[in-house]
Amino acid sequence: MSQGPRAWLLKRLDAFLSEEQRRSPPDELSRYRLLVGGTLFLVVFNLVLALSASLFQEVSLPRFELGLGMAVLFGLVLVVLRRGSSIRPAAMMVCGLFVSGYIAATIAMPDPAIAAHATAMLIPALAVYLMGPRLGLVITGFLCLNASVILPLCLSGFGTLEPIFARPRLWAAGVTDSLVLLLGWGLSSLFCAARDEAIATVRESERKLLSLVESTDDPVCSLDPQGRILTANSAAKRMFREAFGRDVKSGDALDEQATEERRAEWRAALARAFGGQSVRYDIPFRVGERFINLDMSLHPIQGNKGQVIGVTLFGRDMSERKAAEARLDELHRSLVDMSRRAGMAEVATGVLHNVGNTLNSVNVSATLVIDRLRASRVPLLVRAVELLREHEATLPAFLTQDERGRKLPEYLSTVSQHLAGELEALLAEMQGLARNVEHIKSVVSMQQEHARYGGRVEQVTVPELIDDALRLNATSFERLGIRVHRECEEVPPMLVDRHKLLQILVNLLGNARHALVESGRADKQLTLLVRREGEEWLRIEVGDNGVGIAPEHLPRLFAHGFTTKKDGHGFGLHASAQAAEEMGGRLGCVSGGRGQGATFTLELPLRAREAQAASA
């Protein structure tokens, strides 16, 4: 039978039930429907029987009054069923009428073979299904009593012993019929027990599923092929109530307040789901005074034959998550900016440190020049020249006869020698001062050059950039007695962000300097190696024999905010690791522990960079 006629028949049967009975569980509703259908059949059957009896008097059929009375009694069953709160009274009436009618019919039959009708097997099965095994056994007992006692007595001449024992076939047939009836009851009871067990299992699964669906704050509902709601959990009902101001009802549409554009998108997604696909669908949804972004998952529900008979909808309010993601993105941008500023500050600190050291030398040189100028013999030379001008007219006599004049040539010779030495010393100091000023200019110019290209990818010769990073720290290394060992293999120019790479190198060199100073060693040594790792990677190692790193600190070394320095901020290594990742590389560290030094390793990809450089 097709879906249409079956639905039509069930709808007609439900018309005889009350509203409360129609809301019964599926297994209970099936009993109601069977009882209604069977009773209607018996009403029609008895009416037809009564009509046949009135038209064909010569046929051996029940009288008209009996058929009409049975039709009325079965009609009364429908009234009791609709008005009752339980199926049991109406079921007992039907089974009682079945048993009484069957017993009366068998007694009226002239032959026991006719009396053992197949209807007898229907009654125990019906009784067990409608009322359960216990009451079904009572009904079956009446049938067994009729088959094994009442019917043999009637057919053998009721009341005389000789006719009874003269026909043992009647008793054997009666006992056999009783056993068959009990067997039918037993099979029906087993079937009902298995069915009840299966129903209990299904209900337990439904209870767990309902508990699972109701435990979530996300809306969950099922839809028919037209997109109308069939069932919904509490979250979906609450959202529907907030959105539309009323409780959800079966048959409500989700797109009833949507625009035509949104409605077309929704119908397209629904059509794909009914085509057998799982669909993710985002829709802005108005709930009260606020808009939410609802992420919906549509999944097809397949029937027994594989056809799609419905769709389940799982929704999730993504508004808070999207807001959190936006806040996280903003926090990430702030962190990146802060890390970049920290890296810039690290480079600037190196620049200022070296400039400061050089300025100290400049200050010393300037002080020495000033002190020498203050102690200069130039004023005495001026006094000697003034003395010569005073005796310009009598100069020969002054030089030969005057005591002061006779000493003046020797004095001038001494002053000139002293001034020559003083000039040489001042010239040396001024040359050193000029060199220091030139060094300051080169450091500042180099920093400006690198800062100018910050954030721009360009071809960089790594050894030259390492030289720049070393020059930024050269004065510090010399003053602190740090010996630098440098080994660089020939590597091709790389397409890389100059500023990021310089930031990493300066940070690593600064950390190495700090570790060496803190160790207090006399043989402070810093090793810087550059070499290729195969054809794909460039490896830069910055190692020192300083204080080393404790094993428990290594996993957190590049975490934001982690530092082992007393005055550290925890930005430098984190920003360097991020910069390495942004360049497609990685930054790592190994250390033998406290006092064993540390080696930081920066690995950058070569092949990809070379390919990009060639394409550029």
Side-chain angles (χ1 to χ4, degrees):
M1 182 181 295
S2 63
Q3 185 69 21
R6 181 165 55 247
W8 177 87
L9 176 61
L10 294 178
K11 185 176 181 180
R12 295 301 179 272
L13 293 177
D14 291 345
F16 290 89
L17 302 175
S18 64
E19 184 66 27
E20 183 179 357
Q21 291 169 344
R22 286 194 289 268
R23 291 196 300 266
S24 300
D27 57 324
E28 190 71 19
L29 182 60
S30 64
R31 291 192 181 95
Y32 278 114
R33 288 170 172 173
L34 177 64
L35 186 57
V36 170
T39 305
L40 288 174
F41 173 77
L42 291 173
V43 169
V44 174
F45 175 78
N46 283 282
L47 289 177
V48 172
L49 201 64
L51 182 60
S52 300
S54 64
L55 295 178
F56 307 100
Q57 293 294 333
E58 69 277 6
V59 181
S60 178
L61 292 173
R63 295 178 60 83
F64 172 78
E65 292 82 0
L66 179 61
L68 186 60
M70 292 297 292
V72 172
L73 289 175
F74 281 114
L76 183 62
V77 170
L78 294 175
V79 177
V80 173
L81 177 65
R82 184 179 179 86
R83 295 186 177 181
S85 58
S86 173
I87 195 175
R88 183 163 293 181
M92 293 182 66
M93 288 181 62
V94 169
C95 292
L97 291 173
F98 256 127
V99 170
S100 59
Y102 179 76
I103 292 176
T106 55
I107 293 175
M109 294 294 178
D111 190 279
I114 301 177
H117 197 271
T119 308
M121 294 300 297
L122 175 64
I123 297 175
L126 183 64
V128 171
Y129 181 72
L130 293 178
M131 297 182 297
R134 292 185 179 181
L135 290 179
L137 181 60
V138 174
I139 299 299
T140 306
F142 282 111
L143 295 176
C144 292
L145 181 64
N146 174 67
S148 59
V149 178
I150 298 177
L151 186 57
L153 287 176
C154 294
L155 295 178
S156 60
F158 187 78
T160 61
L161 294 177
E162 182 177 356
I164 294 175
F165 291 103
R167 303 182 65 181
R169 186 174 65 86
L170 292 176
W171 298 99
V175 172
T176 302
D177 292 344
S178 298
L179 293 175
V180 172
L181 288 170
L182 289 173
L183 178 62
W185 168 84
L187 292 176
S188 300
S189 299
L190 287 175
F191 170 77
C192 289
R195 182 208 59 194
D196 292 342
E197 181 68 22
I199 290 175
T201 303
V202 171
R203 285 183 176 175
E204 179 67 16
S205 300
E206 289 178 349
R207 185 188 66 79
K208 292 179 180 178
L209 180 60
L210 181 62
S211 176
L212 179 64
V213 171
E214 290 294 338
S215 64
T216 179
D217 293 331
D218 297 329
V220 180
C221 57
S222 59
L223 309 175
D224 64 7
Q226 286 72 39
R228 296 188 296 261
I229 296 176
L230 296 177
T231 58
N233 68 340
S234 300
K237 294 177 181 178
R238 182 173 59 253
M239 183 174 291
F240 194 94
R241 189 182 306 112
E242 292 175 356
F244 302 112
R246 60 180 178 83
D247 292 332
V248 64
K249 296 185 298 183
S250 180
D252 285 333
L254 290 178
D255 59 347
E256 61 181 53
Q257 292 187 357
T259 62
E260 286 298 328
E261 182 181 359
R262 292 293 182 185
R263 190 171 299 172
E265 294 177 359
W266 165 249
R267 289 175 180 173
L270 198 63
R272 290 173 57 195
F274 275 97
Q277 304 179 28
S278 295
V279 181
R280 291 287 298 273
Y281 181 69
D282 291 336
I283 182 172
F285 203 79
R286 183 183 181 89
V287 177
E289 298 298 327
R290 64 188 181 95
F291 280 94
I292 66 174
N293 195 318
L294 194 63
D295 179 24
M296 295 188 296
S297 299
L298 302 177
H299 302 279
I301 304 174
Q302 295 184 345
N304 296 330
K305 297 181 179 180
Q307 76 279 17
V308 179
I309 59 176
V311 168
T312 56
L313 185 150
F314 297 87
R316 174 164 294 183
D317 183 2
M318 302 297 291
S319 302
E320 293 184 1
R321 176 176 295 184
K322 287 186 177 296
E325 290 176 353
R327 291 193 297 270
L328 184 61
D329 290 341
E330 181 64 27
L331 180 62
H332 177 70
R333 286 193 295 269
S334 300
L335 180 60
V336 170
D337 183 66
M338 187 181 299
S339 299
R340 186 172 183 84
R341 289 177 182 271
M344 295 170 61
E346 193 76 24
V347 175
T349 301
V351 172
L352 294 176
H353 184 77
N354 285 277
V355 170
N357 291 333
T358 308
L359 284 176
N360 287 335
S361 300
V362 170
N363 185 47
V364 170
S365 298
T367 303
L368 289 175
V369 170
I370 292 173
D371 291 342
R372 286 182 177 274
L373 289 175
R374 285 177 178 173
S376 176
R377 298 296 179 90
V378 173
L380 297 177
L381 181 61
V382 172
R383 177 60 183 156
V385 171
E386 290 178 353
L387 188 61
L388 290 173
R389 286 181 178 177
E390 289 177 2
H391 300 84
E392 183 177 3
T394 61
L395 186 59
F398 174 74
L399 292 175
T400 57
Q401 299 176 8
D402 192 308
E403 184 68 23
R404 292 179 300 173
R406 291 197 301 267
K407 294 180 178 180
L408 186 59
E410 182 181 358
Y411 176 76
L412 291 175
S413 176
T414 303
V415 170
S416 62
Q417 292 177 1
H418 183 78
L419 288 178
E422 188 178 81
L423 178 61
E424 184 177 353
L426 288 176
L427 183 59
E429 287 296 333
M430 292 305 295
Q431 288 175 345
L433 181 61
R435 285 196 301 269
N436 287 329
V437 172
E438 188 65 27
H439 179 67
I440 292 174
K441 290 173 60 179
S442 65
V443 169
V444 173
S445 298
M446 181 174 57
Q447 171 59 18
Q448 290 176 343
E449 181 70 17
H450 291 305
R452 183 180 305 134
Y453 297 105
R456 195 182 80 179
V457 176
E458 60 174 316
Q459 280 194 347
V460 174
T461 303
V462 175
E464 293 181 359
L465 193 67
I466 291 176
D467 290 340
D468 291 344
L470 286 173
R471 278 200 298 270
L472 286 172
N473 292 274
T475 306
S476 297
F477 290 161
E478 292 175 3
R479 184 173 57 85
L480 296 172
I482 298 174
R483 187 166 61 90
V484 179
H485 176 69
R486 178 177 178 273
E487 293 183 9
C488 292
E489 293 182 0
E490 291 187 5
V491 293
M494 296 179 58
L495 196 64
V496 73
D497 187 329
R498 177 192 296 267
H499 182 77
K500 288 180 180 178
L501 183 53
L502 181 66
Q503 171 188 332
I504 296 173
L505 294 174
V506 169
N507 184 265
L508 296 181
L509 292 174
N511 286 344
R513 181 185 69 243
H514 183 274
L516 290 169
V517 172
E518 188 178 347
S519 69
R521 299 173 62 107
D523 57 335
K524 304 180 183 67
Q525 181 170 332
L526 186 147
T527 303
L528 204 153
L529 305 178
V530 179
R531 65 174 182 268
R532 297 180 63 151
E533 291 288 334
E535 298 296 326
E536 297 184 357
W537 293 94
L538 173 71
R539 185 182 182 93
I540 303 174
E541 294 183 3
V542 178
D544 62 78
N545 59 347
V547 293
I549 301 172
E552 63 271 17
H553 292 160
L554 282 174
R556 303 172 55 197
L557 198 60
F558 300 102
H560 178 263
F562 177 78
T563 180
T564 57
K565 301 178 184 177
K566 294 181 180 180
D567 56 348
H569 46 62
F571 289 166
L573 287 178
H574 175 72
S576 297
Q578 278 196 333
E581 291 181 1
E582 292 171 359
M583 292 187 293
R586 50 184 176 264
L587 182 63
C589 177
V590 293
S591 174
R594 299 293 298 178
Q596 301 297 317
T599 299
F600 286 84
T601 303
L602 173 63
E603 294 181 335
L604 297 173
L606 272 175
R607 183 178 298 276
R609 300 301 185 187
E610 291 173 359
Q612 291 178 10
S615 63

